[in-house]
Amino acid sequence: MASLSVRSVSKRYGPVRALTDVSLEIRPGRVHAIVGENGAGKSTLVGVLAGFVTPDSGTVELDGRALPLGQPVAIREAGVDMVHQHFMLVPAFTVEENLALVRLGGLGGRLDAPELAREAVETAARLGWSIDPKAPTGGLPVGSQQRVEILKALAGDKRVVIFDEPSAVLAPDEVEDLLKVLRRLADEGKAVVLIAHKLSEVLAVADEVTVLRHGRVALSTERAQTDAEALATAMVGDSPGQRHAPPASGATTLPDRADRPSLTVSGLCAKGDRGNTALDGLDFTVRAGEVLGVGGVDGNGQVELAEVLAGVRPFTGRADWTPGRPRVGYIPQDRQSDGLALSMSVFDNALIAGLDDPSLTRGPFLRLGALRAWAQGLVDRFQVKTPNLAQPVGGLSGGNQQKVVVARTLATRPDLLVAVNPTRGLDLKASAFVHDQIAAAAEAGAAVVLVSTDMDELAALAHRTVYLSRGRFVDRLVGADA
Amino acid sequence: MKRALVTVAGLLLALVLTLAVFGVDVRQGLSLIAEGAFGDKFGVARTLVRATPLVLCGLGMAIAWRAGMYNIGGEGQYVLGGLAGAWVAKALVGPAPGLANPAVLIAAALGGALFAGLAGWLQVRRGVQVVISTILLNFTALQALSWAVRGPLQEPKGQLPLTERLPDTVMFQRFDPQTDLHAGVFVAVAAVVLTALLLWATKAGYLLRLVGQNPRVARANRVDVGRAQIGAMLVSGGLCGLAGGVDYLGLIGQVGDGFSQNWGFLAIPVALLGGLDPLGVLASGLYFGALMAGGEGLARFNQLGPTLVYVIQAVAVLGLVALNARSRPKPVVDDD
């Protein structure tokens, strides 16, 4: 018998059809993956299932009883809960207190956090997790915070648990562990819904796969009857386009060309924003034309390393470019917070890269006409979909926002290019485009440092890869199979 | 453009509604205001003289707020500008009267700039929010003024808390002996042009805007954010101080306890309603200058007169907030 039946659900936002006539069955004891590109309707569908979005039409039934759509609390009480992509945790609370939050009675109720959290702590033990209930949540590693989030979602007798892109924040070995947990929950008889970007994870764990495209179900199939290519085809509608071919013979190094310009780093140390030791003695060289991959679990010094190389974080030790001084291009990790001023126009966001170009400025003044032509050229060359240069960049899609960042960074023809997770949150086409641009920049002679938590991305682009762990380089990720 | 029209229509509507709410015959009220503001050469002069400090201080607010520095200290910077001007005038009027006029303007701008720059420095280097420090520094400036005009800058007879009156030769030229209209209005016009150039056509102005919209982007591109923020405060305070200097040289040539008429505070809504854009500030400064001039005409017939400007400003700013809340930029492509 079907556990959760989605029947003909449709939802429009103004002129945009987010979901059109979507139907699917989610069965107990199985992991049901929902995949699709950005904008395919995954988030809207999850929102409907969790009660944050009220559909225009259609119903959702749990064991034959209609779910109270649009009412998150009632839906949770009915037995459907969700593990959010962005953690819904109070960092200053202990694990126990966070777990107790979902079980609080009314305002007058007594707060006995250990008692309220007892069941969740037992669940943790059953899943084989060692979590200190008294530890402050904010100080835990990301993987452990996610476990707390999962324990919250499991509170009570949950029938359906939805995971919204749970691997986005995890390192490869943590992902492996997470997939085991999904499997285990399904084996216990729960229906598990996995919203995912990465096909490799879907294929590793799912029993059934539903592909959304433009808000419709493009494919619904058993895992055994499909493969990565079929899923990718269903996602994009045609062949996904050649993903960027790995550099000749994969992860071998370039022939050593010592005469090429290069960045030599030795004994590099830097502090993080909280005064912690973020980088603890790094030594490496990256030459023009080479892509150096830096992998590792988020929060082990990647962002700090990128900022040091980009010249925006103080450091000790040496980082020397020979010969001369390099032009540095920096694609920061988070385009919405560090990459773009969302309320400013496409023109203004590109302009930062044109300030040092003597043909675009005259002393302290901007040559506005020349700058407009230059910015329009970037928009054309990088195929940024925007009605005009005056469009606020926040109104563009994620892929086009990232294109603005990449376009302006590469426009300066950097000698040293530093990119952090440059395709995070982008769909296949936009990712392939960004990858092509980075590879082309390297071919044109840039030394590239690519910091990424995505092993596929590193495998596709990097000539060699080092891994960061607690601010030091290690040869490979323990437990990583990439 | 559309936005400007909506603002103008809204301001007129606010005026009509305010008159109606206070029980003034709307037609009679409007005609009294219009007459007081533009009816004759006295009205026009009154409007322009009042608009001058509003525009100058409004430009100052616009520059600071564009950079994300919420300067509330226009009043103190205006006062300090006047004070610095009076101090330089006292030193120069005797030995070098020919230099006194421009020197007073320069000193006024410098005084305001340093005063605001201090608040900017406190925020950038010591984490003291400009909103708080500039409010407090307003009182500091007023106390400094009060002390100076009873001490070192007091007029020679030592009877009144005022500085000695400037000789006419140092004052701004008057266009007509019967009105107050003085050459200082050209300073305001020039400031509009220069600030517009700064904001839209220079690297510094662009960086200032970028820092205001997203300092993290600026930092990721190796822009010295603190320098841009302090720079914005220096220019902002400079313009407010300049307003003080212009009024000192244009009106009575004396500085005393009542030197500022809340120009620094009135300038905040002027800047906001002008869209933090120099041309918009010019338009809204003229509008409120006219209201002040016209309100004085109205005051002879109705108690509403003097407070009219404050009521309209409040109504208009609330309307602006509502307008902003409604007009979020629409996405071009919906992103899931």
Side-chain angles (χ1 to χ4, degrees), chain B residues 225-296:
Chain B
V225 172
R227 204 175 114 174
Q229 289 173 328
I230 293 175
M233 285 301 283
L234 287 170
V235 175
S236 172
L239 285 161
C240 294
L242 188 62
V246 164
D247 276 0
Y248 172 53
L249 291 172
L251 296 174
I252 58 169
Q254 281 178 300
V255 174
D257 281 336
F259 177 60
S260 179
Q261 304 288 314
N262 284 331
W263 300 116
F265 294 120
L266 291 164
I268 294 170
V270 166
L272 286 175
L273 292 167
L276 303 183
D277 182 299
L279 288 177
V281 169
L282 175 63
S284 96
L286 283 170
Y287 174 82
F288 284 107
L291 264 189
M292 292 184 91
E296 287 163 30

Side-chain angles (χ1 to χ4, degrees), chain A residues 39 41-43 310 312 328 330 337-338 340 343 348 351-352 355 363-366 391 395 398, chain B residues 200-203 206-207 209-210 213-214 216-217 219-223 331-336:
Chain A
K42 298 190 302 279
S43 302
V312 298
V328 182
Y330 178 34
S337 80
D338 292 350
L340 297 165
S343 54
D348 276 343
L351 183 49
I352 185 79
L355 292 186
F365 293 100
L366 306 171
Q391 164 70 32
Chain B
W200 309 117
T202 67
K203 292 185 198 177
Y206 165 70
L207 293 178
R209 290 187 287 124
L210 181 67
Q213 291 296 327
N214 189 343
R216 297 179 59 102
V217 174
R219 178 174 168 272
N221 285 281
R222 294 177 289 282
V223 174
V332 175
V333 186
D334 194 65
D335 224 1
D336 206 336

Side-chain angles (χ1 to χ4, degrees), chain B residues 15 21 30-31 35 56 119 126 134 143 171 175 187 201 227 256 258 276 279 294 306 311 315 318 326:
Chain B
L15 177 56
V21 165
L30 283 179
S31 81
E35 206 173 300
L56 282 170
R126 292 282 178 271
T134 51
Q143 290 300 321
M171 298 275 288
F175 303 109
V187 175
R227 204 175 114 174
L276 303 183
L279 288 177
V311 177
V315 173
L318 289 174
R326 282 183 59 88

Side-chain angles (χ1 to χ4, degrees), chain A residues 150-222:
Chain A
I150 293 172
L151 291 172
K152 269 172 62 187
L154 290 175
D157 184 24
K158 289 291 155 47
R159 316 284 306 278
V160 182
V161 186
I162 303 162
F163 290 82
D164 186 11
E165 305 217 2
S167 69
V169 294
L170 299 182
D173 54 336
E174 292 176 318
V175 170
E176 213 168 294
D177 193 70
L178 171 76
L179 297 184
K180 280 187 199 141
V181 170
L182 298 188
R183 184 77 264 157
R184 165 130 197 198
L185 293 175
D187 290 345
E188 288 179 3
K190 298 184 194 308
V192 176
V193 181
L194 170 65
I195 311 297
H197 241 107
K198 291 184 190 157
L199 294 181
S200 59
E201 290 163 15
V202 168
L203 291 168
V205 73
D207 301 303
E208 290 170 64
V209 185
T210 294
V211 178
L212 289 181
R213 183 169 81 234
H214 301 320
R216 294 173 186 272
V217 174
L219 178 70
S220 205
T221 177
E222 293 281 318

Side-chain angles (χ1 to χ4, degrees), chain B residues 59 191-201 277-279:
Chain B
L59 292 171
V192 169
V193 175
L194 290 175
T195 48
L197 265 178
L198 170 69
L199 275 182
W200 309 117
D277 182 299
L279 288 177

Side-chain angles (χ1 to χ4, degrees), chain A residues 133-461:
Chain A
K134 307 286 184 200
T137 313
L140 294 178
V142 174
S144 302
Q145 291 194 28
Q146 187 174 53
R147 290 176 173 180
V148 177
E149 189 80 352
I150 293 172
L151 291 172
K152 269 172 62 187
L154 290 175
D157 184 24
K158 289 291 155 47
R159 316 284 306 278
V160 182
V161 186
I162 303 162
F163 290 82
D164 186 11
E165 305 217 2
S167 69
V169 294
L170 299 182
D173 54 336
E174 292 176 318
V175 170
E176 213 168 294
D177 193 70
L178 171 76
L179 297 184
K180 280 187 199 141
V181 170
L182 298 188
R183 184 77 264 157
R184 165 130 197 198
L185 293 175
D187 290 345
E188 288 179 3
K190 298 184 194 308
V192 176
V193 181
L194 170 65
I195 311 297
H197 241 107
K198 291 184 190 157
L199 294 181
S200 59
E201 290 163 15
V202 168
L203 291 168
V205 73
D207 301 303
E208 290 170 64
V209 185
T210 294
V211 178
L212 289 181
R213 183 169 81 234
H214 301 320
R216 294 173 186 272
V217 174
L219 178 70
S220 205
T221 177
E222 293 281 318
R223 156 68 184 96
Q225 289 159 19
T226 191
D227 57 24
E229 201 182 330
L231 291 180
T233 306
M235 282 164 70
V236 299
D238 49 44
S239 166
Q242 207 58 37
R243 291 205 56 175
H244 184 75
S249 71
T252 57
T253 50
L254 285 176
D256 195 19
R257 278 168 278 189
D259 55 322
R260 290 194 159 211
S262 62
L263 173 74
T264 306
V265 169
S266 57
L268 179 73
C269 296
K271 296 214 175 298
D273 287 335
R274 294 191 207 93
N276 51 315
T277 299
L279 299 175
D280 191 11
L282 301 182
D283 306 285
F284 65 92
T285 300
V286 54
R287 291 182 195 292
E290 184 186 25
V291 180
L292 173 69
V294 178
V297 184
D298 238 353
N300 276 286
Q302 287 94 332
V303 170
E304 287 83 358
L305 173 61
E307 288 186 350
V308 164
L309 297 181
V312 298
R313 182 175 288 277
F315 64 96
T316 58
R318 298 190 66 90
D320 299 319
W321 180 265
T322 46
R325 289 171 56 85
R327 278 189 304 272
V328 182
Y330 178 34
I331 301 175
Q333 148 142 291
D334 187 336
R335 64 181 158 272
Q336 302 221 332
S337 80
D338 292 350
L340 297 165
L342 294 177
S343 54
M344 292 179 100
S345 65
V346 172
F347 175 73
D348 276 343
N349 273 284
L351 183 49
I352 185 79
L355 292 186
D356 294 332
D357 185 333
S359 71
L360 300 176
T361 55
R362 190 183 290 120
F365 293 100
L366 306 171
R367 296 175 60 174
L368 290 170
L371 277 164
R372 285 216 181 79
W374 167 81
Q376 188 61 51
L378 286 184
V379 163
D380 294 342
R381 187 146 62 86
F382 287 82
Q383 299 152 33
V384 181
K385 270 189 223 148
T386 176
N388 52 52
L389 290 175
Q391 164 70 32
V393 85
L396 301 183
S397 71
N400 282 300
Q401 289 181 3
Q402 187 71 343
K403 281 182 182 178
V404 172
V405 176
V406 172
R408 117 185 139 201
T409 307
L410 296 181
T412 59
R413 298 187 179 286
D415 303 309
L416 174 63
L417 174 63
V418 182
V420 186
N421 287 323
T423 58
R424 179 173 280 186
L426 299 189
D427 60 31
L428 286 181
K429 275 181 193 162
S431 295
F433 182 87
V434 170
H435 283 170
D436 287 344
Q437 295 297 332
I438 291 173
E443 257 159 51
V448 180
V449 176
L450 172 66
V451 178
S452 179
T453 46
D454 182 346
M455 304 298 277
D456 292 340
E457 184 162 79
L458 293 173
L461 283 176

Side-chain angles (χ1 to χ4, degrees), chain B residues 53-247:
Chain B
L54 283 179
V55 168
L56 282 170
C57 293
L59 292 171
M61 295 298 117
I63 294 288
W65 287 45
R66 280 265 175 196
M69 302 294 271
Y70 299 105
N71 181 5
I72 312 289
E75 186 74 0
Q77 291 143 25
Y78 173 97
V79 165
L80 220 77
L83 199 55
W87 178 61
V88 166
K90 187 180 166 97
L92 279 185
V93 163
L99 288 178
N101 181 299
V104 164
L105 286 182
I106 292 167
L110 271 179
L114 293 177
F115 203 53
L118 172 66
W121 182 87
L122 279 171
Q123 170 160 334
V124 170
R125 299 276 174 252
R126 292 282 178 271
V128 182
Q129 291 294 313
V130 152
V131 175
I132 306 295
S133 62
T134 51
I135 290 177
L136 296 176
L137 285 170
N138 285 333
F139 298 108
T140 310
L142 287 170
Q143 290 300 321
L145 173 71
S146 189
W147 166 78
V149 297
R150 286 174 179 79
L153 294 183
Q154 191 169 25
E155 43 91 27
K157 286 184 201 154
Q159 291 168 338
L160 296 168
L162 279 172
T163 57
E164 190 177 5
R165 201 180 179 307
L166 286 175
D168 285 348
T169 51
V170 173
M171 298 275 288
F172 276 132
Q173 202 180 346
R174 296 261 166 112
F175 303 109
D176 179 328
Q178 289 178 298
T179 73
D180 282 347
L181 191 59
H182 55 80
V185 293
F186 294 122
V187 175
V189 174
V192 169
V193 175
L194 290 175
T195 48
L197 265 178
L198 170 69
L199 275 182
W200 309 117
T202 67
K203 292 185 198 177
Y206 165 70
L207 293 178
L208 181 159
R209 290 187 287 124
L210 181 67
V211 163
Q213 291 296 327
N214 189 343
R216 297 179 59 102
V217 174
R219 178 174 168 272
N221 285 281
R222 294 177 289 282
V223 174
D224 188 337
V225 172
R227 204 175 114 174
Q229 289 173 328
I230 293 175
M233 285 301 283
L234 287 170
V235 175
S236 172
L239 285 161
C240 294
L242 188 62
V246 164
D247 276 0

